[in-house]
Amino acid sequence: MAKAGQGKDKRTATRLTNAGRDPRWTTAPGTAGGVVNPPVWRASTHLYESMAALREGRPNEDGHFYYGRRGAPTQWALADALTELEPGAAGTMLYPSGVAAIAGVLLAVLKSGDVLLMTDNAYEPSRTMARGLLRNCGIETRWFDPLDPAAFAAACCDRTKAVLLESPGSLTMEVQDVPALSALARDRGIAVILDNTWAGPLGFPALERGADISIMSLSKHIGGHADLMMGSASAGPRWYTVLRRTAQQLGHVVSPDDAALALRGIRTLGLRLERETASALALAQWLAGRPEVSEVLCPMLPGTQGHALWARDFTGGCGLFSFVFKGRTSAARDAFIDALELFGMGFSWGGFESLAIPVDPATIRTATRWPPVGWSDADRFGVRLSIGLEDPGDLIDDLEQALAAWNAA
Ligand SMILES: *Cc1c(COP(=O)(O)O)cnc(C)c1O
């Protein structure tokens, strides 16, 4: 008979099967046994039995009925599951999207007059947030080279209160030395926030590697089926309390239906990541051998930037990587993407279906240049691939015929 917290100390696949399935969330009062999955509790109003019970209500504790904005068992089960999967976490806040999670965390950690350091490879909406919402709140952002801990140390000042890391970085896949950067930040009293969407807790136990707060877009791997928007932030006791207070002030809540979908995604997360990682590696290797390709940006592939750090710090990978064409034009790249038959064209990733989008970071960056120093300026047209669950042989055939279209363009 399943008990609360069962499987917490077990290996990953077992933890994914049991995470969040606390009998408090799967059993109706007065019944034994319950159901496998936490049911969808659609509720704004939570009812009390008596005035005494209402007065004893504990709105500021987790897992207590109060009002729908503080969630109900479906959302609590998902938050519990994500906390169980993140070693060192005391709790997890859920947000209506990954971007809402980033905004919720930054607004919780920073206040007017503070300086935020942001890695130059950050997800573009994080940069937009810094130049808009954060600037309007009196928070200044400075960008630094993701691969240069000395540049990070030099950028710190006594007003620096937080750093936003992302490893591997969006689009360009630089792997950061998170333990080294975290140690530098800790010495200076700077909170370390990591956008850990690429690896998630299975691939990179963020808090154990030095981060204070680990953010994920659950719209990617956890949802896993291209039909869900959600974000999360997990942290130890100190920062969890801060995140929770701010999320409540901002009124952040997720729907129980979406929480149930995310819980369903967790059950197959390990299998999907295993398959997507293996396929991505096969495709990356194949692309690295092609004359049309100048660089493959995939830290799982030996010989690429970040592979040594990935091998040292990561416990897994995923299906997302990029590559850069050798010279030619943006029109040739368009011809390649248009010719793909099995890859959809769209701005997300981590789903069961493969996707491709163009990569053009040159205009986004401020602290570093693209293409990086040492590359030919002509090698600038990139493509990001999100590898799904299709047969990798079919995906390679598709890339091959699309490369023929690139050559013919
Ligand atoms: C997609 C993504 C986000 C934002 O998540 P949404 O759920 O789309 O808001 C944040 N960070 C990274 C690295 C992402 O890829």
Side-chain angles (χ1 to χ4, degrees), residues 108-129:
V109 172
L110 295 162
K111 60 177 185 338
S112 175
D114 290 347
V115 172
L116 166 69
L117 293 181
M118 189 180 289
T119 178
D120 207 28
N121 59 3
Y123 185 60
E124 199 178 359
S126 299
R127 303 180 67 105
T128 309
M129 195 184 300

Side-chain angles (χ1 to χ4, degrees), residues 97-99 102 123 166 170 195 197 217 219-220 229-230 349:
S97 70
V99 164
I102 295 167
Y123 185 60
E166 197 180 310
S170 274
D195 184 335
T197 302
S217 164
S219 320
K220 313 294 167 53
M229 296 299 297
M230 205 186 289
W349 53 278

